[in-house]
């Protein structure tokens, strides 16, 4: 004999449990008992998708200021960027390491041979006592692809750089790269299409279920950044100047000014 459900329970259906992902990628568990249907949020296994911003500079003053307000998740450098920092390599990297804390630090390897790239990356890790937040930037040359595999086997994170085509990125991810960095402005400057290359790589990652992420790089305009984020780029590394520009709008400044004017003589609470 089936026990009667209390009037408030709704009652009726056979007992069952089903689990599914909702549109925000939260795991939802639905328990249906003969008397009640309960919907539970079990846990959030996947970080909600959002674009990671990184600073493409080694200037410690710029970084200090940016880190005081911008939600950055890391810093990227290359020898050109480091040469503008006004410091020797060790001082720059040490300063960056201090500022980013547990954030990511992506450093370009400059060796030509794969074994030397690997040695260089290992040296950075030991010299600066980096943990998992260190990423060895490796160019997509034959030696680079070889080095990527060795680095991944050694447990070192890899960011594939100097990418100009979707195929270079795809091969880099197959070689184990965690991030792939297409150079948007440099593509645009040779009458190619940086945003399209970014979009194609994003599409490949989704189509093939790859675990790599796009780190769009080499920007000269805020519009390029807007477009790569709309193309679904997982991350972007951006100069200090453009990071400042992309949050600016004259109408925001006018709006804030007007609030100040309208508040005059009105507020009788001391904040
Ligand atoms: C970052 O990883 C790249 O090295 C950088 O964004 C290249 O920028 P550039 O094309 O302005 O030199």
């Amino acid at each position: 004999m089936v026990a009667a459900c209390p009037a408030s329970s709704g009652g009726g259906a056979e007992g069952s449990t089903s689990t599914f992902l909702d549109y925000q990628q939260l795991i939802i568990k639905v328990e249906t008992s003969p008397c009640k249907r309960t919907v539970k949020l079990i846990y959030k296994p996947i970080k909600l998708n959002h674009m990671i911003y990184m600073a493409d500079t080694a200037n410690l003053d710029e970084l200090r200021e940016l880190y005081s307000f911008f939600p950055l998740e890391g810093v990227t450098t290359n020898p050109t960027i480091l040469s503008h920092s006004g410091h020797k390599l060790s001082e720059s990297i040490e300063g960056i390491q201090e500022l980013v804390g547990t954030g990511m630090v992506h450093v370009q390897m400059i060796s030509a041979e794969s074994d030397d790239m690997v040695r260089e990356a290992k040296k950075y890790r030991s010299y600066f006592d980096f943990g998992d937040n260190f990423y060895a930037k490796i160019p997509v040359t034959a030696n680079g692809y070889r080095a990527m595999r060795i680095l991944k086997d050694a447990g070192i994170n890899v960011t594939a750089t100097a990418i100009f085509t979707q195929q270079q990125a795809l091969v880099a991810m197959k070689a184990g790269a965690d991030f792939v960095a297409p150079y948007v402005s440099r593509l645009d400057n040779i009458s190619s299409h940086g945003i399209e290359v970014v979009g194609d790589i994003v599409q490949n990652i989704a189509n093939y279920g790859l675990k790599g992420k796009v780190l769009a790089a080499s920007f000269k305009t805020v519009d390029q950044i807007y477009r790569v984020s709309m193309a679904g780029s997982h991350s972007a590394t951006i100069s200090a100047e453009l990071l400042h520009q992309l949050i600016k709008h004259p109408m925001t400044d006018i709006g804030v000014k007007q609030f100040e004017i309208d508040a005059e003589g009105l507020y009788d609470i001391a904040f």
Side-chain angles (χ1 to χ4, degrees):
M1 190 183 132
V2 178
C5 295
S8 59
S9 68
E14 275 272 299
S16 70
T17 299
S18 55
T19 307
F20 62 92
L21 281 176
D22 86 339
Y23 73 103
Q24 285 184 302
Q25 297 187 313
L26 309 177
I27 283 195
I28 307 289
K29 191 174 179 186
V30 180
E31 287 172 347
T32 311
S33 76
C35 298
K36 202 170 180 182
R37 184 173 183 274
T38 326
V39 179
K40 284 186 191 160
L41 170 66
I42 305 301
Y43 74 111
K44 270 191 211 179
I46 304 162
K47 219 174 162 188
L48 286 185
N49 288 330
H50 63 95
M51 194 175 80
I52 293 169
Y53 289 96
M54 292 191 231
D56 204 16
T57 172
N59 181 312
L60 298 179
D61 292 333
E62 281 180 356
L63 282 173
R64 212 164 285 116
E65 214 227 328
L66 285 169
Y67 263 87
S68 72
F69 73 96
F70 205 107
L72 290 166
E73 293 181 50
V75 169
T76 58
T77 71
N78 64 32
T80 315
I81 290 169
L82 285 163
S83 74
H84 295 146
S85 75
H87 296 281
K88 289 285 186 201
L89 174 72
S90 65
E91 292 167 359
S92 292
I93 303 291
E94 232 171 77
I96 292 169
Q97 194 180 20
E98 251 178 63
L99 275 166
V100 304
T102 55
M104 292 179 270
V105 182
H106 298 244
V107 185
Q108 183 69 45
M109 302 302 107
I110 55 162
S111 306
E113 300 299 323
S114 44
D115 287 348
D116 296 335
M117 291 181 200
V118 173
R119 191 166 31 252
E120 208 184 324
K122 286 185 174 168
K123 183 72 186 190
Y124 273 108
R125 285 257 301 207
S126 59
Y127 189 93
F128 295 101
D129 196 19
F130 272 121
D132 271 351
N133 59 340
F134 171 74
Y135 286 76
K137 289 173 75 181
I138 306 287
V140 286
T141 57
N143 284 343
Y145 287 122
R146 195 176 299 124
M148 286 177 205
R149 281 186 184 281
I150 303 171
L151 286 167
K152 288 309 295 176
D153 286 346
I156 296 178
N157 300 318
V158 169
T159 299
T161 61
I163 290 181
F164 292 87
T165 72
Q166 159 274 344
Q167 281 296 305
Q168 288 175 318
L170 193 53
V171 176
M173 285 184 281
K174 289 189 70 92
D178 302 278
F179 283 94
V180 290
Y183 285 8
V184 176
S185 274
R186 295 195 199 187
L187 275 160
D188 290 352
N189 285 341
I190 53 166
S191 302
S192 197
H193 304 285
I195 317 294
E196 267 178 33
V197 172
V198 168
D200 287 348
I201 304 169
V202 168
Q203 194 63 57
N204 271 166
I205 291 172
N207 288 351
Y208 296 130
L210 301 170
K211 79 167 190 54
K213 291 188 176 66
V214 176
L215 171 59
S218 176
F219 292 106
K220 292 291 170 280
T221 68
V222 168
D223 187 62
Q224 289 168 330
I225 301 163
Y226 156 71
R227 286 176 196 283
V228 299
S229 70
M230 294 313 291
S233 188
H234 312 92
S235 58
T237 184
I238 304 166
S239 69
E241 192 192 343
L242 286 178
L243 281 169
H244 279 281
Q245 272 180 31
L246 69 84
I247 57 160
K248 286 290 275 180
H249 197 285
M251 290 302 288
T252 306
D253 298 339
I254 291 169
V256 170
K257 189 80 213 147
Q258 192 60 48
F259 291 151
E260 277 171 28
I261 293 166
D262 294 344
E264 255 174 45
L266 177 69
Y267 280 52
D268 55 356
I269 300 170
F271 292 108

